[in-house]
Amino acid sequence: MSDFARWLQDLVSRVFYAAFGFLGDVFIFLVDMVLHAVLVLFSLLSFPFENISLQAALDMLPPGVWFFIGHFQLPACFAALGLAVSFRLARKVITFFQW
């Protein structure tokens, strides 16, 4: 009788593992469909500054925005973040992606 109980327990556990695997696949499928719908929606939108350079778009910012960019020192912040990312990537390349 214990062999039958072990077989039944194994069967039930495999059914639950299969059900959880199926639910995981369904979740991934639904996320894929939602992201695809978002991508389609974004492709339908038109960007208002398609024919404008980045400099021209930045020149259109109001003076108040430029004040806060200078006050919070955003260029220095972005430079520090860029340096940190560059250092991390260089460290990984130098150590052959072992660290």
Side-chain angles (χ1 to χ4, degrees):
M1 189 68 177
S2 66
D3 290 337
F4 177 72
R6 255 187 263 119
W7 174 80
L8 190 60
Q9 181 183 11
D10 185 48
L11 179 68
V12 169
S13 67
R14 286 184 186 200
V15 166
F16 277 111
Y17 283 133
F20 285 131
F22 178 73
L23 289 176
D25 290 343
V26 167
F27 176 72
I28 290 173
F29 176 74
L30 291 175
V31 168
D32 180 51
M33 294 298 288
V34 167
L35 291 177
H36 183 70
V38 169
L39 182 66
V40 168
L41 287 176
F42 278 139
S43 69
L44 293 176
L45 295 176
S46 64
F47 187 63
F49 302 115
E50 287 179 1
N51 299 326
I52 297 177
S53 67
L54 182 60
Q55 183 63 44
L58 289 176
D59 287 340
M60 293 184 341
L61 288 176
V65 174
W66 285 113
F67 169 76
F68 284 112
I69 287 174
H71 182 70
F72 293 128
Q73 298 180 357
L74 289 180
C77 293
F78 287 131
L81 287 173
L83 181 66
V85 170
S86 300
F87 175 76
R88 182 173 183 211
L89 290 175
R91 184 185 66 186
K92 285 194 174 279
V93 168
I94 289 171
T95 60
F96 298 111
F97 303 99
Q98 296 296 317
W99 201 38

